[in-house]
Structures are given as C-alpha cells and as structure tokens.
Amino acid sequence: MTDLEDTVTGPLVGTRVIDLSTVVMGPYAAQILGDLGADVIKIESPSDTVRAGNYRTTPGMTPLNLNVNRNKRSVSLNLKDDTDRERALRLIDTADVLITNMRPGALHRLGLSYDDIATRSPGLVYAHAQGFRSDSDRAGDAAYDESVQAASGLVDIADRALGEPVYLPTIIADKVSSLTIAYSVLAALLHRDRTGRGQLIEIPMTDTMIAFNMVEHLAGHTYVPETGPTGFPLSMLKGHKAVRTKDGLACVIPYNPRNYRDFFTAAGRPDLAEDPRVAGETIDSADHEDLAELVAACAPELTTEEWAEVCAKHSIPMAPVLELDRAHEDPYVQDGHLLDSVEHPTEGTVRTIGIPVRFSSTPGSIRRLAPVAGQDTEEILAELATTR
C-alpha cells in the first residue's frame, strides 16, 4: 500500500487550473497538470458521462472517473443558474488556465466563451477542445472518439492493414488530444510569463489526429507529384503483429539482416539463416511480409523468457506482451510504481496509475484521489468569499 503525498510538488506549483470539461479528453489533460503540481478545480457538470457506469461503492465513482480526476477539487455549480454562473466566473478570475470541451454554442449562451472571459481575465490561458475547427462547417458537430478515428483516416489505415475497418480498441483520439492540450497549455503559460498576455488555444480533435496519423503514413504523398501511396510500409504489413512463443506472446522484430540470421539460428533453422533474403546489408521491402511469416512460424520453438535472452544477446528488439489483467504483478510496472495500491476515502483500496514522467528537481505528486462530485464545494466557495 502506497501513501499519498502530504505536500504539493511539481513544476506547476502555484498554477491554478479550472477544469470545465467532461468525459476524458479535457479531464485527463487537467489531471496531467494536477500531477505536475497545479491546483485543479473541477466545475462539475450534473451529467458528466464519465461518472455513469459501473461502480463499486459510491454512485459516480466509476473506474474511468477515478483514472482521470485525481489531484482535483470538485465544486458543483449549475451554470444555467445566474448565481452559480457568477461564482464560476469569479473562480475563473482566480485561475491561470481554463480547459473546456463544451460546444461553442453552449459557451456563448452561458457567457463563458473566450471573448466573454478575456475581457475580465486577459491573462488567462483558455484551452478549448472540440471535434472540429471553429471556422469549419463542421464546427458544431458532435464528436466522439470513433467518429474522429474515422474522420482522421485511422479507420482507413486499419482497413488497409487488417482487412477490416475497425476502430482501435482504445480511445486514442481523446487521449492524444489530452496530451496536445497539456503541452499547448504549458507553451501558452511560458508565453504569458514572458509577455503578461493570455490567449485562446483551440485544439480540434480531428486536426490533431490527422497530424498525428500523417507523421509516418503520409509516406509517398509527402512529395508532389506522389512517389507512392500513403501508409507506412512496415506498419501496414499483414504479418506486423506479435508472435506466439512456446508459452505466450511476444513482440520480436528483427530489423536488419544480422537480426534475422541470429533469430533463425536460435530457432534451430540454420537453413533460413543462410537464406539469400537475409544475406545482404539491408532487407528488401518486398520480402518483409514473407520474413514476418517465417518469424511467426519459428517463434514457438522457444519460450518467451528464452527469446528474451536470445534477443538481448543479439540486440534484436523484443518485449513480452504485457497481459493487462496481470500488469500489477509485472516487475517493471511494480518498480516504476505504475499501478500502486492506495486507500481511497470512499472507495477503499484502489490501484492508481502512476506518473510516468520523472523530473530530477520538481517531481510530480499524487496528493488526492478523484473526488465525489461536488465534495469540495463548501471549501472552494469559502475561499472565493475571501478573494477580492
């Protein structure tokens, strides 16, 4: 059992963030800033879907909520009520950063758009995340992770590589956008420190994911005229997948001819080690798919641990496949405190996801676990009453 930190540490100590967002994209970004020391106040929506679903003890305390709302204080305010909306505005006046993923129309109706806020808080960094650019004809469209995967080309990549137009089994658009919000806010804070001026940051999910996907998949369309199709060749291989060893699953990726020769020799296939396709200095791209099939066919000759030893000896990229149901037992996960057990005030013993980034001088900290909706309302309003 790990204890929570008693003191606030991290490079963002002294920074206040208002989290006016729901579900995952905005809340996860705000949590990252909280992990880095910021004082994050979450203005709770009465219908945040992250609180809907299965829970063990307290209504609203779902696993997803626990995983994106730690290091925050929660205040319940009805933004359609004039008194509560004025309280929200006064809270925003005390903040350095506001993160929201409310639709533009709703923000305008509530008087919480950037133009509304900037007149009273010109130094505020206002991060607005939405599905599509505000100046596009899709600005007001609803956006969910799956629709953004489709709109950004990710489903096309999956269809071409796997033969099925599947969605990735993770909310990748939400989480990549979360990271984009976080680094954009940090850059805007640096600019404000230099100039004293805040600004509006717009983070459109679809644009973010198109840029993310195209880093490698623009490929032959990088040039005009095109020199080939889109799609990163290695990632698009039919055989580009983990392999089954004698006792499990592992990623084994020989990257050069020597890697292949050493792999085939260890698998007891000296004939394949002498194959002309792995005899030169480089691998012909036309041979990648066939070689991947041979690697998969040879992998069951050894156990995962035996392959780990072979690959370490010969510098072949390799990693056992982490089984999520047993991740908390994995020595690497344990040593990195990535899934430590902690005692939650209302939910009992829970596992909390560790802070993956390490700072030598200003380490992040986990001071409080996800709050029950509105649990800090009285405390925050009392603080607000003393703020001039």
Side-chain angles (χ1 to χ4, degrees):
M1 189 77 68
T2 299
D3 294 329
L4 299 179
E5 300 287 341
D6 293 327
T7 58
V8 182
T9 60
L12 295 183
V13 171
T15 302
R16 173 167 284 185
V17 176
I18 302 299
D19 179 7
L20 184 60
S21 63
T22 59
V23 198
V24 170
M25 176 173 52
Y28 184 37
Q31 175 175 288
I32 291 170
L33 301 178
D35 288 351
L36 299 181
D39 172 25
V40 182
I41 297 175
K42 182 174 180 64
I43 298 179
E44 289 275 2
S45 162
S47 57
D48 189 346
T49 56
V50 79
R51 290 192 179 274
N54 295 326
Y55 52 85
R56 181 170 65 184
T57 303
T58 308
M61 300 301 285
T62 62
L64 193 53
N65 174 62
L66 291 168
N67 290 337
V68 299
N69 281 321
R70 72 165 177 233
N71 279 335
K72 300 179 186 181
R73 295 187 289 165
S74 171
V75 56
S76 289
L77 296 175
N78 179 3
L79 297 178
K80 294 180 180 180
D81 176 84
D82 290 342
T83 299
D84 274 1
R85 185 167 60 255
E86 181 57 31
R87 286 169 174 161
L89 287 167
R90 289 184 59 206
L91 267 178
I92 294 168
D93 289 343
T94 71
D96 303 284
V97 178
L98 170 68
I99 296 174
T100 184
N101 59 355
M102 293 176 66
R103 293 195 202 179
L107 289 168
H108 282 291
R109 286 192 299 273
L110 293 169
L112 294 172
S113 70
Y114 177 69
D115 289 340
D116 296 319
I117 301 297
T119 58
R120 54 191 291 162
S121 299
L124 183 73
V125 172
Y126 186 113
H128 185 208
Q130 59 190 83
F132 304 93
R133 289 188 309 278
S134 62
D135 59 355
S136 73
D137 58 3
R138 305 177 71 178
D141 289 359
Y144 293 85
D145 196 89
E146 293 87 351
S147 60
V148 173
Q149 288 195 39
S152 66
L154 198 52
V155 173
D156 176 58
I157 294 167
D159 189 29
R160 290 160 57 188
L162 306 175
E164 291 288 340
V166 297
Y167 307 116
L168 266 63
T170 180
I171 49 174
I172 189 169
D174 275 304
K175 292 186 288 185
V176 168
S177 297
S178 297
L179 299 176
T180 305
I181 292 169
Y183 79 65
S184 300
V185 163
L186 295 176
L189 284 173
L190 180 61
H191 172 264
R192 192 198 63 174
D193 287 348
R194 290 172 172 170
T195 67
R197 297 192 300 272
Q199 62 181 300
L200 169 65
I201 310 168
E202 182 175 291
I203 305 98
M205 294 175 70
T206 300
D207 300 51
T208 297
M209 287 304 297
I210 289 173
F212 180 83
N213 294 332
M214 289 299 189
V215 169
E216 77 275 33
H217 287 295
L218 188 57
H221 279 227
T222 301
Y223 307 101
V224 181
E226 296 84 2
T227 59
T230 55
F232 187 59
L234 180 59
S235 298
M236 304 293 281
L237 286 180
K238 301 296 183 186
H240 191 59
K241 57 187 179 182
V243 295
R244 297 197 178 276
T245 67
K246 184 179 288 186
D247 62 350
L249 286 170
C251 163
V252 182
I253 304 286
Y255 261 99
N256 56 53
R258 179 174 290 280
N259 279 172
Y260 278 104
R261 294 194 295 269
D262 289 335
F263 174 86
F264 289 135
T265 298
R269 293 295 303 272
D271 56 318
L272 293 178
E274 297 175 359
D275 190 301
R277 291 172 293 185
V278 300
E281 295 299 319
T282 60
I283 301 295
D284 191 315
S285 60
D287 295 326
H288 276 142
E289 194 163 314
D290 289 340
L291 290 172
E293 291 180 1
L294 290 173
V295 169
C298 292
E301 295 298 318
L302 299 178
T303 65
T304 299
E305 185 175 347
E306 289 169 337
W307 276 124
E309 294 175 358
V310 167
C311 292
K313 179 179 178 181
H314 297 290
S315 296
I316 301 172
M318 182 273 182
V321 171
L322 179 68
E323 298 176 32
L324 293 188
D325 282 350
R326 302 180 61 185
H328 60 284
E329 301 171 356
D330 184 84
Y332 185 85
V333 172
Q334 291 179 345
D335 291 346
H337 300 284
L338 297 175
L339 283 176
D340 285 351
S341 295
V342 295
E343 196 67 23
H344 191 282
T346 64
E347 307 311 298
T349 304
V350 299
R351 293 191 179 97
T352 190
I353 301 168
I355 300 173
V357 181
R358 296 186 174 190
F359 291 78
S360 63
S361 299
T362 56
S365 55
I366 301 176
R367 291 94 56 195
R368 58 174 71 219
L369 301 178
V372 174
Q375 77 172 38
D376 305 295
T377 300
E378 290 186 10
E379 173 187 315
I380 292 169
L381 293 182
E383 291 176 3
L384 195 59
T386 62
T387 302
R388 298 293 182 184

